[in-house]
Amino acid sequence: MVALLFTAILLPFLLLPAVLAVGDRWRARTGWLALAAPVGSFAILLHLALTVAEPGGRLVVELAWVPSLGLDFTFMIDGLSLFFGLVVSGMGILVVFYASHYLDDHYRHHDRFYAYLLLFMGAMLGTVLAGNLLLLFVFWELTGITSFLLIGFLHEKSESRDGARMALLVTATTGLAMLAGIVLLGQAAGTYEIAALMDGAARNASPGTLSAAFVLIAIGALGKSAQFPFHFWLPNAMAAPTPVSAYLHSATMVKLGVFLIARIFPVFQGVELWAPLLITICFGTMLLAAVLALLSQDLKAILAFSTVSQLGFLIGFYGMGPAGGVQGDLLHIASHVFYKGCLFMVVGIVDHSTGVRDIRQLGGLRRELPLLAGITLVAAASMAGLPGTLGFISKEYMLKDMFAYWEGSAALAWYPLVFVGVASALKVAFSARIYWGIFGGPPSEKALAHFHAPGLGMQLAPLLLAGACLLFGLFPGLLGTGLAALQTAGLHDPTVVHYSLWHGVTREFLTSLLIMAAGAVVFFWLRRSFWARARIPAPLRFDAGFEGLVTAVPKWAKALGLALRFDRQFDYLAIALGFMVLMVGGYWWTQRTVLWPGLPTEADFDPVRTLVVGLIALAMAMIIVMRRWTSQLIAVSIIGFLITFYYVLFRAPDLAMTQILVESATLLLVLLLLARFPRSAEISEIGWFFSGRRQAVNLAISAGVGLLATLAALMAMQHRHPDPSGDYYLANTVPLAHGTNTVNTILVDFRGFDTLLEATVLVIACLGAIGLVMRYRRTAEEYAAGAMGPAGYGLGRKTEKKAEEADQ
């Protein structure tokens, strides 16, 4: 069983090398190989659901990874994880099959596309099956990275690049807030294991801590599911190829926020902010997104805003949930997966066949696309909640829960019912608009100008999804039996719900008829003239504001850099160090009576060490009085080698060896760099005035920095900790780190993460430096003329001009 679970998660990752290897040769047929991953994962998860899972049961599989941080490879099998795992892998089968027909040989880089898709699929499976919050976050962020690659797959288009950047910035930023909440919860509960948290490990945590943790985690969920104020990124992500939109933005990634709220329901449901936060934001988003869908003209934008609207309901539904658990949530999610995945594929086929996505330029395609017209009719009817479809069943039970919450006299009891009712009526209107705008009315000349009929293979996946909407709408008990087996302890009310098509003439049925009638009135009223000139008003264009902010940040940074003279490194260094001397020195001077460390006594001086320090000071004076770089470089090297000798006097041979190696390597690299400089740069005349005034400023700042360092050293010597950390490392370097060199074990074991991050920063800096060096190469004429600038620092005017042209 453990092997099966790990296989289901790792199968998409294991198939990546094969897809990359054959992609260039197989091209469009690469999808048939990629199809093996979702088929295999779906089969395994279905087997586990039928043989292992039981209603309310839970099975935890754990593999140690970083126990000291509470991070293990823990995966959990319960009803919620299996349901979402089946959705991810099942929709993955249909999307990959659809993509193999949609992405013909005119598309490039099939290998990369399917590799990104499989990587995303594996990350999604890891997220929904994770049994540890930190592991969940790792997979969560991996979905964000892979979605960035998929949204920006057509990177030659500016809208693809902008949409990918927007999605990454929003989801990554909100993800950081989520990480803070996870850490806060883990520290308060003493564990990051989801099973333990669901069993009440955090019950003794303070209410304030739980509230803060919930708000931070909710920010991550709302950002991922595109809820207000983060709702703007999802419509802009529609620049991705349609298979990506059908997979990421209807059935899987955007539902991660829904999944996360469901997963933490048993942990935070009793928190005071749970209901007000989720109900207010999410049902408000539901109505706002429905209005924006009504005002949109692009087919994918209409579907994107309708997705945001439905996601608002799905998350807000958990906000209304009582302590005993919810009912019907999986029904609502399944209904949305079926009709929205189908409609995204339909829009992709229309775009593929006509090259048009503007609904005002479509129409009359029912004769050219009769099968697709029937598919769209069923899916749009399910989205509108018309009888005979799964959407109608979902809406009936949705209204039942709305009325029950209203009667419960809870806080904001009227809010969900009113907002859901209005949003559902608008949903009827734009559902009818989608069908009529594509297939109704007279034929569109622009749509037929370059029309080509799609094959049956491309229409098969949406046909199956539309069939599911119809089958489970007429026989909802079939779906209800399967969903009843996926109940999750702590999330679901153990009472079994028997879904049926007809419940009699109830208030829910009458309300549903009223919603459909209101939606029909809105559709026929707006169809006359409004939709031809409908636009989203500027105050609701959050994406424009976000893009303006993203564009403004580099400009502000550039203005700040110019003010601080980032382009003149020696000037900037003087400003930064001078500011530090003034701030730290000024504070120390105001507190000098308390912070004065006292002067060292004669016993503190060692003759040999004092001699070495005196030689170092002499070498520093040589740097100040000398004017040629070569002489200054020799003086700097002398200082480095004298410091090496100083380490030897303190009986630290390892530090001495490190210092001499670094000093030698640095000397060689600087010599190689100086060899590329023109001779005019050899004389060191640095700064603003090229006069002794600047030298005096440099001397004053240097003396101030040296004085601060001296004071800090004296204060550290006089305020020693009673239990120094060095004793701990010396005592534990062998038993814990299995090494005899304490310095080495500190670097690579006790503080290994620090070393890893420092090495990462150095690698990033080296890559950036290499990019800058390779960006521009001087000609022989520029080298002879001294194109490095008047004093050998910074770029010359000609170089700056070329750099600006390259930026543009």
Side-chain angles (χ1 to χ4, degrees), residues 29 37 50 107 149 237 750:
R29 292 174 296 170
L50 296 175
Y107 281 82
L149 297 173
F750 291 109

Side-chain angles (χ1 to χ4, degrees), residues 191-547:
T191 180
Y192 293 99
E193 298 298 321
I194 296 175
L197 292 169
M198 293 175 64
D199 290 337
R203 66 168 59 95
N204 294 325
S206 68
T209 301
L210 285 181
S211 296
F214 163 64
V215 170
L216 291 169
I217 295 176
I219 289 173
L222 298 178
K224 204 74 160 184
S225 289
Q227 297 300 286
F228 182 88
F230 312 111
H231 61 283
F232 56 87
W233 75 260
L234 184 58
N236 286 274
M238 293 300 111
T242 299
V244 175
S245 301
Y247 194 38
L248 275 67
H249 306 137
S250 67
T252 54
M253 188 183 101
V254 292
K255 285 192 173 60
L256 276 184
V258 180
F259 165 79
L260 182 61
I261 295 298
R263 181 55 85 198
I264 63 176
F265 180 90
V267 183
F268 292 113
Q269 192 277 335
V271 173
E272 186 177 356
L273 290 174
W274 173 268
L277 180 68
L278 296 183
I279 289 175
T280 304
I281 292 179
C282 296
F283 285 116
T285 303
M286 183 183 186
L287 180 57
L288 173 63
V291 172
L292 296 176
L294 209 62
L295 298 175
S296 299
Q297 307 292 0
D298 185 278
L299 281 173
K300 290 180 75 173
I302 297 173
L303 293 181
F305 280 121
S306 70
T307 298
V308 174
S309 177
Q310 189 64 13
L311 291 172
F313 162 71
L314 293 175
I315 299 179
F317 179 79
Y318 289 115
M320 300 189 311
V326 299
Q327 291 180 334
D329 57 326
L330 302 186
L331 169 69
H332 303 316
I333 296 172
S335 173
H336 183 254
V337 167
F338 290 146
Y339 72 70
K340 191 55 63 66
C342 176
L343 288 175
F344 266 111
M345 293 181 185
V346 165
V347 169
I349 295 172
V350 172
D351 186 18
H352 194 280
S353 300
T354 65
V356 178
R357 282 206 332 239
D358 191 325
I359 197 169
R360 296 168 297 183
Q361 299 174 357
L362 291 166
L365 294 178
R366 57 189 177 278
R367 292 184 179 180
E368 285 74 15
L369 300 169
L371 177 59
L372 195 67
I375 293 171
T376 308
L377 180 63
V378 173
S382 186
M383 182 165 67
L386 300 186
T389 65
L390 184 59
F392 174 77
I393 307 298
S394 173
K395 185 170 65 174
E396 288 277 286
Y397 284 94
M398 172 187 71
L399 292 173
K400 181 180 179 181
D401 289 321
M402 295 295 114
F403 280 115
Y405 188 76
W406 183 31
E407 292 173 344
S409 299
L412 301 173
W414 59 270
Y415 186 87
L417 181 60
V418 173
F419 276 54
V420 166
V422 176
S424 298
L426 298 180
K427 186 191 294 185
V428 172
F430 62 69
S431 298
R433 187 192 183 198
I434 288 175
Y435 178 79
W436 185 260
I438 299 174
F439 301 103
S444 168
E445 294 183 2
K446 185 169 184 178
L448 296 177
H450 303 286
F451 177 82
H452 64 275
L456 178 61
M458 192 183 299
Q459 301 178 77
L460 184 58
L463 176 62
L464 293 175
L465 291 171
C469 293
L470 196 59
L471 174 65
F472 296 130
L474 296 174
F475 306 99
L478 297 176
L479 181 62
T481 302
L483 296 181
L486 297 176
Q487 284 190 345
T488 303
L491 172 64
H492 293 130
D493 187 330
T495 305
V496 178
V497 180
H498 299 284
Y499 299 115
S500 59
L501 177 60
W502 177 249
H503 306 90
V505 181
T506 62
R507 60 182 177 181
E508 291 84 14
F509 178 74
L510 296 176
T511 305
S512 182
L513 292 180
L514 179 62
I515 288 173
M516 286 186 282
V521 170
V522 171
F523 168 71
F524 286 108
W525 177 51
L526 296 180
R527 190 170 68 89
R528 292 186 174 182
S529 60
F530 176 76
W531 267 324
R533 50 188 173 81
R535 295 289 187 278
I536 296 177
L540 298 181
R541 290 294 306 272
F542 280 53
D543 56 339
F546 180 84
E547 283 297 323

Side-chain angles (χ1 to χ4, degrees), residues 446-772:
K446 185 169 184 178
L448 296 177
H450 303 286
F451 177 82
H452 64 275
L456 178 61
M458 192 183 299
Q459 301 178 77
L460 184 58
L463 176 62
L464 293 175
L465 291 171
C469 293
L470 196 59
L471 174 65
F472 296 130
L474 296 174
F475 306 99
L478 297 176
L479 181 62
T481 302
L483 296 181
L486 297 176
Q487 284 190 345
T488 303
L491 172 64
H492 293 130
D493 187 330
T495 305
V496 178
V497 180
H498 299 284
Y499 299 115
S500 59
L501 177 60
W502 177 249
H503 306 90
V505 181
T506 62
R507 60 182 177 181
E508 291 84 14
F509 178 74
L510 296 176
T511 305
S512 182
L513 292 180
L514 179 62
I515 288 173
M516 286 186 282
V521 170
V522 171
F523 168 71
F524 286 108
W525 177 51
L526 296 180
R527 190 170 68 89
R528 292 186 174 182
S529 60
F530 176 76
W531 267 324
R533 50 188 173 81
R535 295 289 187 278
I536 296 177
L540 298 181
R541 290 294 306 272
F542 280 53
D543 56 339
F546 180 84
E547 283 297 323
L549 179 63
V550 171
T551 304
V553 167
K555 295 181 179 178
W556 296 339
K558 185 176 181 180
L560 177 63
L562 291 175
L564 296 178
R565 300 184 68 84
F566 285 178
D567 56 334
R568 297 284 180 172
Q569 293 300 310
F570 286 92
D571 294 348
Y572 169 67
L573 187 63
I575 293 173
L577 293 178
F579 180 78
M580 183 189 73
V581 169
L582 291 176
M583 297 299 294
V584 179
Y587 174 78
W588 183 90
W589 182 254
T590 60
Q591 304 292 326
R592 61 187 181 279
T593 56
V594 179
L595 299 178
W596 177 253
L599 297 175
T601 63
E602 185 177 352
D604 295 325
F605 289 92
D606 179 89
V608 180
R609 295 174 188 168
T610 305
L611 175 62
V612 174
V613 172
L615 293 176
I616 292 175
L618 180 61
M620 292 176 60
M622 292 171 59
I623 297 175
I624 297 173
V625 300
M626 291 177 177
R627 300 192 61 192
R628 291 188 176 274
W629 279 17
T630 50
S631 304
Q632 292 175 333
L633 181 60
I634 293 173
V636 170
S637 301
I638 290 173
I639 294 174
F641 288 112
L642 287 173
I643 293 175
T644 301
F645 184 59
Y646 199 76
Y647 287 148
V648 172
L649 294 177
F650 272 96
R651 294 180 295 177
D654 48 352
L655 294 180
M657 291 177 62
T658 303
Q659 175 69 23
I660 197 169
L661 289 174
V662 170
E663 195 66 37
S664 301
T666 303
L667 177 61
L668 293 175
L669 290 175
V670 173
L671 285 174
L672 290 174
L673 177 64
L674 293 181
R676 297 179 57 86
F677 276 41
R679 290 187 176 276
S680 59
E682 188 174 352
I683 303 300
S684 178
E685 293 179 332
I686 310 166
W688 294 321
F689 303 108
F690 309 121
S691 66
R693 184 183 303 177
R694 176 58 190 274
Q695 291 285 40
V697 173
N698 288 344
L699 283 173
I701 294 175
S702 302
V705 172
L707 181 60
L708 290 180
T710 303
L711 291 172
L714 292 175
M715 291 172 62
M717 292 174 61
Q718 293 192 8
H719 298 85
R720 293 180 180 273
H721 195 276
D723 184 20
S725 59
D727 295 339
Y728 170 81
Y729 292 128
L730 289 172
N732 291 280
T733 183
V734 174
L736 295 182
H738 305 287
T740 57
N741 188 315
T742 306
V743 175
N744 289 350
T745 57
I746 290 174
L747 291 175
V748 302
D749 198 309
F750 291 109
R751 301 186 62 182
F753 279 109
D754 291 348
T755 305
L756 176 63
L757 293 176
E758 290 168 1
T760 304
V761 170
L762 287 176
V763 170
I764 294 173
C766 288
L767 292 176
I770 292 172
L772 291 174

Side-chain angles (χ1 to χ4, degrees), residues 58-189:
R58 181 195 304 156
L59 185 63
V60 177
V61 178
E62 186 173 351
L63 182 65
W65 184 19
V66 190
S68 60
L69 297 179
L71 179 56
D72 296 321
F73 278 115
T74 305
F75 295 99
M76 186 167 66
I77 300 176
D78 63 357
L80 185 67
S81 62
L82 283 174
F83 172 78
F84 275 94
L86 290 171
V87 168
V88 170
S89 55
M91 279 299 298
I93 295 173
L94 297 178
V95 167
V96 173
F97 180 83
Y98 173 77
S100 64
H101 293 83
Y102 185 89
L103 302 176
D104 51 27
D105 287 334
H106 295 291
Y107 281 82
R108 298 179 298 166
H109 307 301
H110 289 80
D111 51 348
R112 287 196 324 201
F113 176 83
Y114 288 108
Y116 296 159
L117 200 63
L118 291 180
L119 189 60
F120 172 80
M121 187 185 305
M124 280 293 306
L125 290 173
T127 303
V128 300
L129 291 166
N132 182 288
L133 283 178
L134 293 177
L135 182 64
L136 183 149
F137 176 77
V138 171
F139 282 116
W140 178 286
E141 289 302 295
L142 185 57
T143 63
I145 295 172
T146 50
S147 68
F148 168 78
L149 297 173
L150 286 166
I151 296 169
F153 181 73
L154 304 176
H155 53 81
E156 64 275 5
K157 298 181 179 180
S158 60
E159 58 268 24
S160 295
R161 298 192 299 271
D162 294 341
R165 180 183 63 183
M166 187 179 296
L168 181 65
L169 289 176
V170 172
T171 57
T173 304
T174 55
L176 290 176
M178 171 184 158
L179 176 61
I182 288 174
V183 172
L184 194 61
L185 175 61
Q187 293 298 312

